[in-house]
Amino acid sequence: MNNFSFENQTRIHFGEGQISAITGEIPSDAKVLVVYGGGSIKSNGVYDQVVSALKDNTWFEFSGIEPNPKYDTLIKALPLIKQHGIDYILAVGGGSVVDGCKFIAAAALFAGDDPWDIVAKQAKIEAALPIGVVLTLPATGSETNIGSVVTRNGTKLPFMDPLVRPQFAVLDPAVTLSLSDRQISNGVVDAFIHTMEQYLTYDVKGKVQDRFAEGLLQTLIEEGPKALAEETKTDLDVRANIMWSATMALNGLIGSGVPQDWSTHMIGHELTGEHEIDHARTLSIVLPAVMKVCQQAKQGKLLQYAQRVWHITEGSDDQKIAQAIKLTEDFFQSMGMPIRLSDVDLNESNIDCLVKRLEQHGMTALGENKDITLDVSRQILQQAI
Ligand code: NZQ
Ligand code: ZN
């Protein structure tokens, strides 16, 4: 196992009715900016619960953060923060709202000239406003991690800083009942692929990390389809298991002390930036192709995945791996996800542009061995057709 330092100080309030816990989390003299997206929180009752929990605070609101949050939208929150002396940000929504709030929190106290440098130049931030989260879509893990992804003019880039890790997060599975099937599927598959990007590399004898990861994958495979099926759609235990899996998949725990890949995400970001495909739907297209093209480097872990996650014991090593990849694709399809570029109306003619974008963004040595060059990314995209 590799050396690591691990901490995650986000306090989690999990379960039905926990939005009221905000009252004890945010100091009553704090001036709060409640930040949300396109309005789903108004129709599912989350907004009302938040308003009730903030009864002792002075608060303002900023809405309209879109999926794949845009820089141009986020910076509009900055004058509001200055004008009202905001000192706490409450993100109410999915990963896009949480990521957007992380950028706003850092940009509000940024000492440099141009807040875009936080993302584009990975400029060091010295301070950020404190963030609390009411999560409405289990997927990204953003509610307890230090990452954020921001888009500007079609360029989608991440930044990471411990200063933007949320102070607390409310995870109420009941608020996920209003999600569309598409968003449920996106969330389950995003969490699945976060787990895979930290698991499907090479063996460093990280048994705890491996078995945690395999448990998360199996939970998502079991519970994901139940959240779509009529008879189990409103089962809160199903929603709770999905929600907790998504948080655990990207809170730093399973990635500590083990190699990580993230090539699927980096290639996927270009698909979203260029073609506006939902984040998770880019991943379900790219991951099977990464598994095939990088089979040799990932051989040991692919076999472990086949045996422990899919219980495949018959056949040669190559047959076991091929079957595990097929079952992974079947799982994605059972969740209504695309698994090929052709499923989203893209083809060979789109690949040059995607490879060029990877180059522009410095994504020239991806993967756990940094050997996914632009040529290999091209092979992956060709494999995905
Ligand atoms: O805007 P509203 O009206 O709230 O609607 C949203 C949005 O349209 C809707 N929604 C959310 N909760 C709902 C709901 N609708 C009904 N009921 C609810 N309870 O869902 C739509 C999608 O929301 P979004 O926040 O965009 O989805 P998600 O959580 O999947 O976030 C995706 C973003 O996170 C980034 C992605 O790149 C993408 O920009 N990621 C962030 C990561 C991180 N910070 O660690 C890691 C991930 O890999 C990912 O890259
Ligand atoms: Zn993701």
Side-chain angles (χ1 to χ4, degrees):
M1 196 188 306
N2 300 335
N3 288 4
F4 65 90
S5 304
F6 172 75
E7 69 173 347
N8 187 322
Q9 324 87 326
T10 305
R11 198 159 30 252
I12 293 171
H13 300 282
F14 194 99
E16 207 174 351
Q18 288 276 39
I19 292 176
S20 60
I22 294 172
T23 313
E25 283 287 356
I26 302 183
S28 55
D29 58 352
K31 282 191 187 167
V32 183
L33 187 65
V34 176
V35 179
Y36 57 97
S40 69
I41 65 164
K42 292 239 165 125
S43 43
N44 62 11
V46 170
Y47 182 85
D48 292 341
Q49 292 182 63
V50 169
V51 169
S52 157
L54 287 176
K55 58 186 180 314
D56 296 332
N57 287 92
T58 303
W59 61 274
F60 303 86
E61 64 180 63
F62 179 77
S63 65
I65 297 199
E66 57 282 279
N68 308 304
K70 290 194 173 62
Y71 170 83
D72 292 346
T73 305
L74 303 175
I75 48 160
K76 290 188 185 137
L78 300 183
L80 205 62
I81 288 173
K82 213 168 186 179
Q83 182 190 348
H84 298 297
I86 298 292
D87 46 25
Y88 209 108
I89 294 183
L90 182 62
V92 188
S96 294
V97 170
V98 182
D99 282 8
C101 285
K102 288 174 173 175
F103 180 77
I104 294 170
L109 303 185
F110 186 56
D113 296 331
D114 181 1
W116 180 239
D117 288 348
I118 297 170
V119 180
K121 298 186 181 162
Q122 303 283 302
K124 175 121 189 64
I125 59 171
E126 304 292 344
L129 291 173
I131 301 168
V133 173
V134 176
L135 188 72
T136 62
L137 196 173
T140 63
S142 188
E143 63 278 8
T144 77
N145 71 29
I146 64 170
S148 164
V149 188
V150 180
T151 299
R152 189 177 192 185
N153 300 331
T155 292
K156 195 174 174 197
L157 292 172
F159 80 96
M160 287 191 189
D161 199 295
L163 289 167
V164 298
R165 190 195 302 277
Q167 314 262 309
F168 73 90
V170 175
L171 306 179
D172 177 349
V175 312
T176 73
L177 291 173
S178 58
L179 286 168
S180 64
D181 283 0
R182 185 183 182 104
Q183 296 304 344
I184 292 169
S185 300
N186 282 353
V188 167
V189 169
D190 193 23
F192 185 92
I193 293 174
H194 294 158
T195 310
M196 290 292 268
E197 299 253 50
Q198 298 162 92
Y199 169 77
L200 199 65
T201 58
Y202 55 86
D203 185 23
V204 292
K205 300 192 171 56
K207 292 193 168 191
V208 176
Q209 295 90 325
D210 280 3
R211 289 201 159 97
F212 259 117
E214 287 152 2
L216 293 173
L217 296 171
Q218 286 177 313
T219 304
L220 291 163
I221 290 165
E222 269 171 36
E223 303 300 289
K226 289 188 201 163
L228 299 180
E230 272 322 309
E231 54 287 7
T232 39
K233 219 175 178 22
T234 56
D235 185 329
L236 279 186
D237 285 326
V238 169
R239 300 303 177 119
N241 278 299
I242 290 173
M243 200 166 210
W244 192 223
S245 298
T247 299
M248 293 298 289
L250 202 48
N251 67 356
L253 184 70
I254 63 167
S256 292
V258 296
Q260 303 189 15
D261 181 346
W262 298 108
S263 58
T264 296
H265 267 71
M266 294 310 128
I267 298 171
H269 284 174
E270 303 304 350
L271 279 162
T272 301
E274 179 70 14
H275 300 288
E276 300 204 340
I277 302 165
D278 295 358
H279 171 63
R281 301 170 89 81
T282 67
L283 308 177
S284 59
I285 292 168
V286 178
L287 180 75
V290 168
M291 292 164 100
K292 290 170 198 165
V293 171
C294 304
Q295 179 173 337
Q296 212 178 346
K298 294 180 183 294
Q299 176 93 356
K301 274 301 188 69
L302 276 166
L303 280 169
Q304 183 177 319
Y305 170 69
Q307 187 181 337
R308 293 202 196 159
V309 175
W310 294 107
H311 312 295
I312 300 166
T313 51
E314 303 287 312
S316 67
D317 286 358
D318 281 354
Q319 285 168 334
K320 285 179 190 162
I321 290 171
Q323 206 186 333
I325 296 172
K326 173 76 173 62
L327 287 168
T328 308
E329 291 177 341
D330 291 351
F331 166 59
F332 293 162
Q333 283 187 313
S334 77
M335 295 300 296
M337 303 296 277
I339 59 164
R340 297 286 182 268
L341 287 172
S342 49
D343 295 339
V344 293
D345 297 327
L346 298 181
N347 55 46
E348 177 82 40
S349 70
N350 303 101
I351 291 181
D352 274 347
C353 171
L354 293 164
V355 173
K356 191 166 277 168
R357 294 176 63 102
L358 283 164
E359 184 173 22
Q360 279 164 357
H361 300 143
M363 303 296 166
T364 55
L366 301 174
E368 66 274 21
N369 298 311
K370 306 222 172 304
D371 58 357
I372 302 186
T373 57
L374 292 176
D375 278 348
V376 181
S377 288
R378 180 182 294 279
Q379 281 174 46
I380 290 168
L381 288 162
Q382 274 162 346
Q383 179 69 54
I385 292 171

